[in-house]
Amino acid sequence: AIGFEPVLLRFDFDRSAALGLISAELYADQRPTFVRELLQNSIDAIDTRAELLRQSGIFLEGRISICLTTLPGMTRVEWSDNGVGMDRYILENYLTKIGRSWYRSSDFYKYSIAHDPISKFGIGLLSCFAVSKTITLTTRREPVLARDHNGWHVYIHSRDNYFRVRVQDHVSVGTTLVLEVTERTDVTSASAIAAVIKQTA
């Protein structure tokens, strides 16, 4: 390296700015986009669990439950499915890794699951921050896949902070996600969200 300075330079990301840019570019102009993203996540999770159980001769009736509650200045969205759920390994290695999808990983392909997931980029959760400052997540992994058998409660206070994570007992297999959607415009009212859910589903 004669004639060169030993300075290690490469392109890197300002984490907060990059997350904001991704969220804005993908979702800011279409606030109800989070409905489509959550629906796709639920469908993939249910299809995966159904296929795994089918291999053992067990039938799963997939269920997606959406509850909208109107509160002062906001709409509380509670979105639940009885899909494959998450364990600590998935939370640490996929949920928190922007651009990394479990459905496109060797961890997924080793199970020879015979369906083509919708998810590709692992960025759907960011869409929720276009309408909600916080995300609360309760989940438990399908035992066939689980590296641990705990239920997990995850509170995401903001897009830029660490998550608050704790083990939670008596959690059914699947995932429940709670958003507090600020009613900035008619697009994010309870009736508007309900209409988008109906149209998308």
Side-chain angles (χ1 to χ4, degrees):
I2 296 172
F4 293 92
E5 294 298 320
V7 180
L8 297 178
L9 297 178
R10 67 174 182 178
F11 289 113
D12 212 336
F13 289 96
D14 177 316
R15 184 178 169 282
S16 179
L19 288 176
L21 179 63
I22 293 170
S23 296
E25 287 296 316
L26 292 174
Y27 303 116
D29 294 332
Q30 305 177 57
R31 294 195 181 279
T33 302
F34 79 96
V35 170
R36 183 194 67 207
E37 297 296 330
L38 293 182
L39 185 61
Q40 290 175 350
N41 288 349
S42 291
I43 291 170
D44 281 342
I46 289 169
D47 285 349
T48 299
R49 188 178 180 207
E51 174 62 18
L52 285 169
L53 295 178
R54 186 192 64 77
Q55 294 172 2
S56 302
I58 301 170
F59 173 75
L60 173 71
E61 183 176 350
R63 175 188 50 79
I64 299 172
S65 173
I66 306 162
C67 179
L68 304 178
T69 306
T70 301
L71 301 170
M74 71 174 62
T75 300
R76 185 177 187 269
V77 180
E78 182 173 329
W79 189 295
S80 301
D81 66 60
N82 63 340
V84 73
M86 291 177 279
D87 55 15
R88 178 174 174 172
Y89 177 78
I90 297 298
L91 293 173
E92 291 180 335
N93 292 280
Y94 293 99
L95 179 73
T96 58
K97 301 296 186 282
I98 305 303
R100 181 187 295 175
S101 171
W102 178 73
Y103 296 105
R104 303 293 167 180
S105 71
S106 58
D107 285 331
F108 174 80
Y109 290 123
K110 70 183 180 184
Y111 291 101
S112 301
I113 299 170
H115 80 94
D116 185 23
I118 304 168
S119 175
K120 290 181 173 62
F121 305 115
I123 56 177
L125 198 64
L126 281 181
S127 68
C128 297
F129 287 111
V131 295
S132 179
K133 291 182 179 179
T134 66
I135 299 174
T136 304
L137 192 79
T138 307
T139 188
R140 180 168 171 252
R141 190 74 160 160
E142 161 58 44
V144 174
L145 297 174
R147 299 193 182 202
D148 66 72
H149 297 284
N150 296 319
W152 293 95
H153 180 275
V154 180
Y155 178 67
I156 308 173
H157 182 261
S158 78
R159 190 181 57 209
D160 300 320
N161 291 338
Y162 284 102
F163 303 171
R164 286 167 46 189
V165 183
R166 70 172 186 264
V167 172
Q168 183 161 322
D169 297 329
H170 311 299
V171 176
S172 300
V173 173
T175 300
T176 297
L177 187 142
V178 177
L179 307 176
E180 294 181 350
V181 178
T182 304
E183 291 189 13
R184 299 189 186 95
T185 65
D186 291 341
V187 178
T188 53
S189 68
S191 59
I193 294 170
V196 172
I197 291 170
K198 183 177 179 180
Q199 180 183 22
T200 305

